[in-house]
Amino acid sequence: MEAITFRLAEIELAGLANFSLSAPIKNNKSVLLFLHGWQDNAATFSTLWQRLDADFNLVAIDLPGHGLSQSRSEDNYYHFFDYIDDLHQVILQLPVKSVCLVGHSLGAIISSCYSAAYPEHVEQLILIEGLAPVVEEPALAVQRLKQGLKSRQQYRKQRGRRKARVMVSFDEALQLRANVNGLPTACLVPVVERATVEHDGKWYWRHDHRLRCDSLYRMTLSQAQAIMSSIEVPIYSIVGSHGFPILRDNPQQKYGIKQFSQVVVAGGHHCHLEQPDVVSDCIQGFISPQRD
């Protein structure tokens, strides 16, 4: 995988690909576009790429404020729907008309919503530990708005006096991340390498602190159902046996999904890091028949 850059209307996104963006793709292999989860980065899929590289055209991005990508402007925050706009701008720069989206967590939700809006650009959806937009009861709308605004106020108050967290070594950063995710450090080396920067022998996190600000609004269940039920492409859900239980609670019926299949693999929310052989085999098995 080689480093690439996507120049969007407002910012630049860092990415990785095993093909050139500036020339037509001459093989008949599917293009897999990977979208990571909240406070992760493109490298979360690196162990999958090692197993998929020979059979697919692969491309991944760091979402704004994550990894090596630029942060949003100082007068902006991280609205969920803006990620869908970012994805659309990325896809329009690829040398193909349609892709297979592979999303984890937040990346899976972005992928689902994008597929509903732009079905002509998506062939299949592979969603790892993520599916539909996060929903809330309409009665909580005012509480959600107030909570979101309060989180922004807290960020602004702390911004002037906040000091970046200093870590004395890469190993310290790696261990901190492993503790948060409940994973062995060996699973997270590529992710933490892309998530940190070293200055004068000390290590710092790259991500934008505004990512932690709460959302100002969330969809209702009926809105999420309207989105998910309109998706025309096949959806393949890969979930961890110890991941989010709600993802295994009959989502096809809950959201009225048309073409849906699901597999449960051993592991938790980052099951693709815990079981890269199994997950890559699942991806291979789902996409290949679709192309035949």
Side-chain angles (χ1 to χ4, degrees):
M1 299 287 282
E2 300 294 330
I4 55 173
T5 300
F6 290 95
R7 291 176 173 82
L8 309 190
E10 294 83 15
I11 60 176
E12 293 186 356
L13 300 185
L16 296 161
N18 68 352
F19 62 92
S20 173
L21 299 181
S22 59
I25 295 178
K26 296 181 180 180
N27 60 54
N28 193 38
K29 301 174 183 177
S30 295
V31 175
L32 274 57
L33 172 53
F34 293 81
L35 294 176
H36 63 80
W38 181 68
Q39 291 202 113
D40 278 347
N41 56 61
T44 190
F45 301 109
S46 59
T47 51
L48 297 184
W49 297 334
Q50 297 169 16
R51 295 157 172 81
L52 299 172
D53 181 74
D55 298 313
F56 300 100
N57 298 300
L58 309 175
V59 59
I61 60 171
D62 293 332
L63 293 170
H66 296 75
L68 305 182
S69 286
Q70 290 182 341
S71 298
R72 299 207 187 278
S73 61
E74 285 295 318
D75 60 344
N76 206 344
Y77 286 83
Y78 291 86
H79 302 286
F80 167 75
F81 291 107
D82 288 338
Y83 289 127
I84 303 171
D85 181 19
D86 299 329
L87 174 58
H88 187 50
Q89 292 184 67
V90 166
I91 288 179
L92 291 180
Q93 295 182 44
L94 297 176
V96 292
K97 293 182 178 179
S98 60
V99 300
C100 302
L101 290 175
V102 183
H104 170 245
S105 193
L106 171 63
I109 302 172
I110 296 168
S111 299
S112 291
C113 292
Y114 182 81
S115 298
Y118 287 99
E120 66 271 25
H121 291 308
V122 182
E123 296 177 8
Q124 291 98 26
L125 275 177
I126 297 173
L127 309 178
I128 304 171
E129 272 291 305
L131 183 67
V134 179
V135 300
E136 279 186 342
E137 292 294 329
L140 297 175
V142 174
Q143 179 181 332
R144 166 62 52 189
L145 177 60
K146 185 175 181 178
Q147 180 179 327
L149 292 173
K150 183 178 179 180
S151 73
R152 292 187 180 191
Q153 292 170 338
Q154 290 174 336
Y155 165 77
R156 295 187 189 107
K157 288 178 181 179
Q158 297 171 359
R159 179 174 52 187
R161 59 177 181 268
R162 180 191 287 120
K163 293 183 179 179
R165 181 165 190 171
V166 179
M167 294 161 287
V168 299
S169 67
F170 176 81
D171 287 342
E172 180 184 350
L174 182 61
Q175 189 60 60
L176 286 170
R177 183 58 190 267
N179 292 343
V180 169
N181 291 145
L183 294 171
T185 55
C187 291
L188 291 163
V189 172
V191 178
V192 177
E193 286 177 342
R194 200 169 178 88
T196 54
V197 60
E198 184 265 334
H199 289 303
D200 299 325
K202 296 179 180 178
W203 296 80
Y204 304 85
W205 297 110
R206 292 180 181 273
H207 63 261
D208 191 335
H209 290 289
R210 286 173 292 172
L211 290 169
R212 293 184 173 274
C213 291
D214 291 331
S215 299
L216 300 182
Y217 52 86
R218 282 185 177 161
M219 290 188 194
T220 63
L221 177 58
S222 61
Q223 288 175 314
Q225 289 171 331
I227 288 174
M228 298 303 296
S229 64
S230 70
I231 297 175
E232 299 291 341
V233 301
I235 297 176
Y236 187 45
S237 168
I238 302 174
V239 295
S241 57
H242 298 91
F244 289 120
I246 193 172
L247 296 172
R248 306 190 297 274
D249 187 18
N250 197 9
Q252 184 170 19
Q253 180 177 350
K254 179 179 181 180
Y255 294 106
I257 303 172
K258 294 176 179 138
Q259 301 183 69
F260 182 82
S261 56
Q262 185 175 83
V263 61
V264 180
V265 303
H269 187 56
H270 288 80
C271 56
H272 61 293
L273 289 173
E274 298 174 88
Q275 302 287 340
D277 287 327
V278 175
V279 172
S280 60
D281 285 347
C282 288
I283 293 173
Q284 288 264 15
F286 175 71
I287 294 182
S288 296
Q290 301 290 338
R291 300 285 291 184
D292 293 341

